[in-house]
Amino acid sequence: MSFKSLGLSDALLKAISKKGYETPSAIQQKAIPLILERKDVLASAQTGSGKTAGFALPMLQILNSEPALRQRPVRALILTPTRELAAQVQDEFKDYSEFTDLRSTVIFGGVGANPQIKALRNGVDILVATPGRLLDLVDQRALTLSKVEILVLDEADRMLDMGFVRDIKKILALLPSKRQNLLFSATFSKEIKKLAADFLHQPVLVEATPENTTVEKIDQTVYRVDKALKTDLIIKLISEGNWQQVLVFTRTKHGANRLSEKLEKAKITSAAIHGNKSQGARTRALSGFKEGKVRVLVATDIAARGLDIPLLPHVINYELPNISEDYVHRIGRTGRAGASGEALSLVSLDEVGYLRDIEKLIGERLQPKILSDFQPTETMADVKAAEEEKKQQKAHRHSRGRNAQPKKPAQAKNQGSGRNRGRR
Ligand code: AMP
């Protein structure tokens, strides 16, 4: 099947060919004709499935076939859970609309509102937004939503997980009741189905991958490993495998920072990305990772949501997520665009319950490999020795501060043993 046979206009076909896409993905083949028929759509699609083009292309075609309104009020609104996803969706809209007269912009929190307000005043046809900033700017009367014809909830499951349900309801109340609604979600929980029932009008259900199952091309490996040895194992896997682009998931922001620091000490370039980082830091980390300057990106689930990193060969779960659906999202980062990928999970004893839940969700048994002969790597031993040395030096400084005469012999002995341990 070709993009042309989906009924897309020449202006869009030109942009698609400029992007280098040859055939529409499964979700695109199913969703594009339905959206062009102006149906409400409830789509199950993961990041990496091509879902963005799946809604952006038909939306652009619809908007481009209508005469532009004089003041260019927003006619299409796309809500996303995170700033990163909003920026990526907008980038795609910009690329696909290059040969049309349509304008799009993006608004999200964490950065100054003034440039966003200015862009809105100039008039835009398509607005990509995170819910909080959108409501702020509506309150400031920087935009009106009364002319919205098409609404998209992208990664709707994540929006609910992040507690956006009230914001979404407020936004829905600001839109005209006659409009086309599209809901995209990687997983279909009861809550998503309820949201869909509340605001979609006789939706057509589109599924590109079976509900809550993992992508077939992904090799999933589980290692049973002591919590204390996880960092050593990650360093060993990355170094010995000579992996150059690895996405690692941790459960907490603090854990992401800690692991990233340890990787850096082991001479593996790394950056952490999570909700406490500024927008600038997140963007820098992501672009460094995409350009190959940063070898390992350590992320929490929320921060990683929507990251567009094509052809990611390795994803590691440093800790299993306590929400099983997140496992599906995480490993969906690999094996993209038809390439094969590898997802590794390091599971300590206290996480076995999470593993059972994940197996239930994906309907697959993930037999853990036991690493009986695993020893910390030489590199990690060096890191430990350096840390030990630092501790000793600190203790030394401290004791010098208190006593005029430091206990030299004991100090020297401790330092020596630390170093020797490292070199063995
Ligand atoms: P998405 O699932 O929307 O995040 O898209 C994942 C990636 O696939 C993005 O980098 C898109 O640019 C790319 N993509 C989307 N559609 C196609 C296609 N038909 N052929 C090749 N790549 C595509």
Side-chain angles (χ1 to χ4, degrees), residues 281-323:
R282 291 206 237 176
T283 311
R284 269 196 307 281
L286 182 59
S287 55
F289 185 60
K290 282 188 179 178
E291 288 161 18
K293 290 184 205 146
V294 171
R295 204 164 150 194
V296 181
L297 191 65
V298 187
T300 56
D301 290 289
I302 286 177
R305 197 63 184 165
L307 293 187
D308 177 24
I309 305 154
L311 297 173
L312 198 58
H314 299 103
V315 168
I316 303 180
N317 295 308
Y318 183 78
E319 285 141 345
L320 284 182
N322 47 1
I323 300 167

Side-chain angles (χ1 to χ4, degrees), residues 3 21 23-25 28 46-52 92 308 336:
F3 279 104
Y21 305 167
T23 38
S25 68
Q28 291 162 0
Q46 297 182 2
T47 303
S49 61
K51 67 182 169 63
T52 316
E92 288 204 37
D308 177 24
R336 319 181 90 192

Side-chain angles (χ1 to χ4, degrees), residues 210-221:
E211 196 168 329
N212 293 340
T213 55
T214 44
V215 184
E216 273 170 23
K217 289 210 168 186
I218 302 174
D219 277 337
Q220 299 171 72
T221 307

Side-chain angles (χ1 to χ4, degrees), residues 54-322:
F55 59 78
L57 292 167
M59 284 168 75
L60 287 165
Q61 172 128 338
I62 291 168
L63 298 172
N64 204 35
S65 65
E66 297 167 357
L69 299 173
R70 225 160 50 90
Q71 285 176 332
R72 288 204 185 242
V74 175
R75 287 189 288 153
L77 174 65
I78 301 95
L79 293 178
T80 74
T82 64
R83 308 154 188 186
E84 284 82 8
L85 182 62
Q88 281 164 205
V89 169
Q90 145 74 355
D91 282 347
E92 288 204 37
F93 266 100
K94 227 166 57 200
D95 289 347
Y96 304 141
S97 62
E98 183 180 345
F99 305 105
T100 72
D101 182 35
L102 296 166
R103 287 191 217 151
S104 56
T105 197
V106 61
I107 60 173
F108 48 72
V111 293
N114 284 342
Q116 299 176 355
I117 294 174
K118 210 167 143 205
L120 290 168
R121 294 240 158 93
N122 287 337
V124 290
D125 306 285
I126 300 142
L127 178 63
V128 186
T130 52
R133 177 56 60 96
L134 179 70
L135 286 170
D136 279 354
L137 296 191
V138 168
D139 280 349
Q140 293 182 41
R141 302 193 189 285
L143 82 154
T144 159
L145 298 175
S146 62
K147 299 284 185 231
V148 170
E149 297 167 30
I150 312 175
L151 170 71
V152 182
L153 289 193
D154 193 13
E155 303 203 349
D157 46 354
R158 178 54 47 154
M159 282 205 262
L160 296 192
D161 288 349
M162 288 171 70
F164 282 135
V165 71
R166 282 185 53 196
D167 283 353
I168 291 172
K169 289 198 171 144
K170 274 192 213 158
I171 294 166
L172 289 177
L174 300 169
L175 304 176
S177 53
K178 191 173 172 304
R179 55 169 201 264
Q180 185 176 12
N181 301 292
L182 314 172
L183 186 151
F184 283 75
S185 187
T187 51
F188 271 165
S189 61
K190 266 195 233 114
E191 290 75 20
I192 286 291
K193 286 177 179 156
K194 181 170 180 325
L195 180 71
D198 283 352
F199 93 104
L200 296 174
H201 179 68
Q202 299 182 335
V204 185
L205 185 68
V206 171
E207 283 182 87
T209 44
E211 196 168 329
N212 293 340
T213 55
T214 44
V215 184
E216 273 170 23
K217 289 210 168 186
I218 302 174
D219 277 337
Q220 299 171 72
T221 307
V222 172
Y223 290 111
R224 264 283 290 114
V225 60
D226 259 19
K227 222 184 187 73
L229 289 179
K230 284 188 176 186
T231 307
D232 300 42
L233 181 57
I234 280 212
I235 291 173
K236 180 182 157 77
L237 291 167
I238 294 173
S239 310
E240 290 183 0
N242 195 21
W243 298 346
Q244 294 303 323
Q245 202 181 34
V246 190
L247 180 61
V248 180
F249 286 94
T250 60
R251 244 193 332 252
T252 65
K253 299 169 192 171
H254 192 57
N257 284 341
R258 228 174 14 221
L259 178 60
S260 175
E261 281 162 20
K262 287 190 177 156
L263 290 171
E264 283 280 326
K265 280 185 189 155
K267 307 258 180 301
I268 295 174
T269 51
S270 162
I273 182 165
H274 52 67
N276 283 1
K277 297 264 177 183
S278 69
Q279 185 58 29
R282 291 206 237 176
T283 311
R284 269 196 307 281
L286 182 59
S287 55
F289 185 60
K290 282 188 179 178
E291 288 161 18
K293 290 184 205 146
V294 171
R295 204 164 150 194
V296 181
L297 191 65
V298 187
T300 56
D301 290 289
I302 286 177
R305 197 63 184 165
L307 293 187
D308 177 24
I309 305 154
L311 297 173
L312 198 58
H314 299 103
V315 168
I316 303 180
N317 295 308
Y318 183 78
E319 285 141 345
L320 284 182
N322 47 1

